[in-house]
Amino acid sequence: MASLRNLGYKLSSLLSTNPDKEEELREKLNFSSFDLQRLKYGRLSLTPMQISTAANTLSVKVEDLVNYKNSDSYKNMVHCMSNFSTQEHCDEILDLIDTYIDVKEAAVAEKIVQ
């Protein structure tokens, strides 16, 4: 899940410096605003073709997106937590949170379907 968060963080960073590209990216990926928000928070994965589309739209190499490693301990995303001694510890906690969110979203989706 850390790789999704890294991708989301990189996309979020790129879009914050190129806000005019956000709508274009959303349209090219056929995403709702909610989908794009989930992507930026590492809550939605992309296919290889979608990663290529995102890279082309944001004028970066695919490798720059998929190989990005967040080096600031997700400080913009985990501002409610204290510092971690290692990035691995941060990733472990965020993986647990992501798993919890996945379970809760699945339960809500199941209720909607029924």
Side-chain angles (χ1 to χ4, degrees):
M1 290 185 201
S3 61
L4 285 179
R5 285 190 300 273
N6 285 325
L7 176 61
Y9 187 84
K10 181 65 174 178
L11 290 171
S12 184
S13 296
L14 290 167
L15 290 169
S16 71
T17 59
N18 298 296
D20 55 314
K21 294 287 186 176
E22 189 162 319
E23 183 68 21
E24 180 183 351
L25 179 62
R26 194 179 67 70
E27 288 177 4
K28 285 183 177 181
L29 295 176
N30 196 29
F31 277 10
S32 67
S33 295
F34 181 68
D35 290 337
L36 187 60
Q37 197 65 14
R38 289 183 72 220
L39 175 64
K40 291 185 333 187
Y41 282 102
R43 303 290 310 137
L44 192 65
S45 61
L46 296 177
T47 65
M49 184 59 79
Q50 288 172 319
I51 292 172
S52 178
T53 297
N56 289 332
T57 302
L58 297 170
S59 302
V60 296
K61 296 177 185 175
V62 168
E63 294 80 16
D64 292 342
L65 294 181
V66 297
N67 294 330
Y68 177 76
K69 299 290 184 243
N70 188 350
S71 60
D72 62 9
S73 300
Y74 307 102
K75 65 182 168 190
N76 292 334
M77 292 184 177
V78 293
H79 56 349
C80 63
M81 295 184 203
S82 60
N83 291 333
F84 290 90
S85 58
T86 67
Q87 186 62 46
E88 290 78 26
H89 292 150
C90 180
D91 287 334
E92 287 174 11
I93 295 299
L94 292 174
D95 285 350
L96 288 170
I97 292 169
D98 285 345
T99 300
Y100 174 79
I101 291 171
D102 289 344
V103 169
K104 292 300 279 186
E105 286 178 350
V108 168
E110 185 176 317
K111 286 181 181 179
I112 291 172
V113 171
Q114 292 177 355

